[in-house]
Amino acid sequence: MKAVDDVTARAPRPVRLGPKSVAVLLLTGAVGVVAFGWPLLADTGSGLAHARDAPWLFAALLPLLVGVVVATISESGMDAKAVAMLGVLAAVGAALRPLGAGTAGLEPMFFLMVLSGRVLGPGFGFVLGSVTMFASALLTGGVGPWMPFQMLSMGWFTMGAGLLPGPGRLRGRAELAMLAVYGCVAAFAYGAVMNLQGWPLIAGLGSGISFDGNDPLNENLVRFVAYYLTTSLGWDLGRAVLTVVLTLTLGPTLLKALRRATRRAAFDARAAFGEPEAADRPS
């Protein structure tokens, strides 16, 4: 029993969230929910278009991301090593995305976000997901009105992995199974949320699955479900299957590497200053 406790004590723990970090994340989430959902409550004469509100959302999102980083640094003792790891993981994720994007929804970056969020925690995960999507957009030329919405969605996706239970004790097959299930469900959720961002823009098509600002919210939600099932479900299935396969096959190795790097970086270690030892005192 003591050996197990010692291993658990040495295991790296996710970067903890303090009250400031939680407050900024909640504010960011509220902004994101409003940004995604307001077209559902708008009428056809409101001139709704995410192409118009996207620059404002991007302008609001950047300081909120900085706020999450600053709050986490001030409350958990994160330093330049954590920022460097954030940059490395974001670069790797941005490089992975073009490998499969555009091919049946196969996007290998999602499994990296799941494992990184699991090891490094929800606050770090949210920033990592958002920054990775931003870097990917710059790398692939995918900058457009959808980009801030992708940043929010990927931030939520990665943060969710950091909120899964048992980060300090759950290991082995049980943990991999949990991460695979989460990756599968969250891959569909990511696709659904991103479809919600673009769906109101097809209102002029006049089909039975198009948004109609003159109809009540419940009828538009039924239309949205039909729209998602007929246009995006197959695409998201490829993303979900690839995420599950990569998590179960490469997950153990990558989890060990991330935890080893986190342990050596010692993000949660705080500097302690005390009296110098007798041998170190000047004579």
Side-chain angles (χ1 to χ4, degrees), residues 3 6 33 38 46 55 60 62 81 93 101 133 143-144 147 153 175 189 230 256 260 278:
D6 291 341
V33 170
W38 78 265
S46 64
L62 287 183
K81 294 177 291 186
M133 191 57 72
V143 177
M147 186 183 70
S153 299
E175 182 181 36
T230 56
K256 289 180 181 178
R260 186 182 302 112

Side-chain angles (χ1 to χ4, degrees), residues 15 48 59 74 88 95 125 136 148 158 167 188 205 213 217 223 254 256 262 269:
V15 179
L48 68 90
S74 65
V88 170
S136 173
T158 312
F188 287 107
L205 296 181
L217 177 61
R223 284 196 178 96
L254 186 55
K256 289 180 181 178
T262 303

Side-chain angles (χ1 to χ4, degrees), residues 114-261:
V114 171
L115 301 185
S116 299
R118 172 64 172 176
V119 173
L120 296 165
F124 191 104
F126 180 81
V127 176
L128 173 62
S130 300
V131 172
T132 301
M133 191 57 72
F134 177 70
S136 173
L138 296 180
L139 180 65
T140 61
V143 177
W146 55 83
M147 186 183 70
F149 297 94
Q150 288 179 325
M151 291 172 63
L152 273 171
S153 299
M154 185 57 69
W156 290 334
F157 179 95
T158 312
M159 180 178 69
L163 293 173
L164 293 173
R169 291 183 176 274
L170 188 62
R171 295 289 187 272
R173 294 181 179 178
E175 182 181 36
L176 283 178
M178 179 183 68
L179 293 176
V181 171
Y182 171 79
C184 179
V185 174
F188 287 107
Y190 174 88
V193 170
M194 283 307 302
N195 270 273
L196 182 60
Q197 173 266 327
W199 176 60
L201 303 181
I202 69 168
L205 296 181
S207 69
I209 59 174
S210 299
F211 173 80
D212 189 343
N214 295 318
D215 286 344
L217 177 61
N218 61 324
E219 293 185 13
N220 273 319
L221 289 177
V222 171
R223 284 196 178 96
F224 173 71
V225 172
Y227 169 78
Y228 174 75
L229 293 177
T230 56
T231 63
S232 183
L233 182 62
W235 183 274
D236 294 340
L237 179 61
R239 177 191 300 124
V241 170
L242 182 62
T243 301
V244 170
V245 170
L246 291 179
T247 299
L248 294 178
T249 55
L250 302 181
T253 301
L254 186 55
L255 281 173
K256 289 180 181 178
L258 288 171
R259 283 175 171 142
R260 186 182 302 112

Side-chain angles (χ1 to χ4, degrees), residues 52-65:
R52 297 180 183 179
D53 63 22
W56 297 102
L57 175 60
F58 184 68
L61 183 58
L62 287 183
L64 288 173
L65 286 176

Side-chain angles (χ1 to χ4, degrees), residues 16-27:
R16 70 179 184 87
L17 288 179
K20 295 178 183 178
S21 304
V22 172
V24 180
L25 284 172
L26 289 176
L27 176 59

